[in-house]
Amino acid sequence: MTGATYTVTAKRWEGGWELHIDGIGVTQSRTLANAAQQVSDYIATLTDADVAPERIRVRPDLSSSLLAEADKARIDVRAAAAAQEAAARRQREVARRLREEEHLSVTDTATVMNVSRGRVSQLTKGDGASTIAG
C-alpha cells in the first residue's frame, strides 16, 4: 500500500457525488459514506497502487460555515465524551473513598452520592470496599 494521502473534493450532483481527486482525476459515488472506498478503488485501477481508504481525505463542497459547524460539533462530542469519562472515574473514586475511608454503608454512600445502592455496588465492585455491610 502506498503511503500517499489524497485530498478529494466531493461535489453534489443529481446522482450523488462527483469526487475530484487532486492530481489524479474524477470519479463518482452515490453517497459520501462510500466515497473513500470508491476513490481507493479508482486510484488502484489507474495506478495499480493500493491506497487504504484511511489515507483519503474527502471534503464535501458545502457551505464553509456549515462545515465549520460540523467540525465544531465533532469537537464538542469528543470533549463531552472525555468529560463523561472523567466524571465516571471521579464517581468511582468518591464511592470507594466513602466506603473505605469513611466506612459508610452502601445505603449511606448511596444517599451521599444521590445514586442507588446498586449503583454504589457497581462503582465499588472489585476494589474491596464492597465487603463492608450495607
Side-chain angles (χ1 to χ4, degrees):
M1 291 208 175
T2 182
T5 299
Y6 295 88
T7 301
V8 178
T9 301
K11 298 181 180 185
R12 288 224 13 114
W13 70 291
E14 61 199 35
W17 296 87
E18 244 182 24
L19 307 172
H20 297 259
I21 310 156
D22 287 355
I24 301 289
V26 179
T27 187
Q28 298 169 348
S29 177
R30 185 175 158 108
T31 67
L32 283 175
N34 298 326
Q37 185 61 56
Q38 178 62 30
V39 169
S40 176
D41 294 345
Y42 181 75
I43 293 170
T45 300
L46 292 178
T47 67
D48 287 330
D50 288 333
V51 177
E54 301 82 39
R55 311 279 301 160
I56 297 167
R57 185 173 179 263
V58 178
R59 193 71 174 171
D61 185 21
L62 300 170
S63 160
S64 61
S65 64
L66 282 174
L67 288 174
E69 286 294 321
D71 289 342
K72 173 103 172 65
R74 278 192 299 276
I75 290 166
D76 289 349
V77 167
R78 281 193 295 265
Q84 185 173 15
E85 288 175 20
R89 280 191 302 275
R90 191 173 312 116
Q91 191 178 43
R92 285 189 300 273
E93 177 65 15
V94 169
R96 181 193 63 76
R97 291 182 65 199
L98 286 170
R99 298 280 285 133
E100 290 179 359
E101 295 175 19
E102 297 295 327
H103 306 289
L104 294 185
S105 67
V106 171
T107 300
D108 288 342
T109 299
T111 300
V112 168
M113 295 185 70
N114 195 30
V115 298
S116 70
R117 289 172 37 89
R119 183 65 181 137
V120 170
S121 294
Q122 289 173 337
L123 292 169
T124 59
K125 185 176 183 175
D127 68 5
S130 59
T131 59
I132 301 169

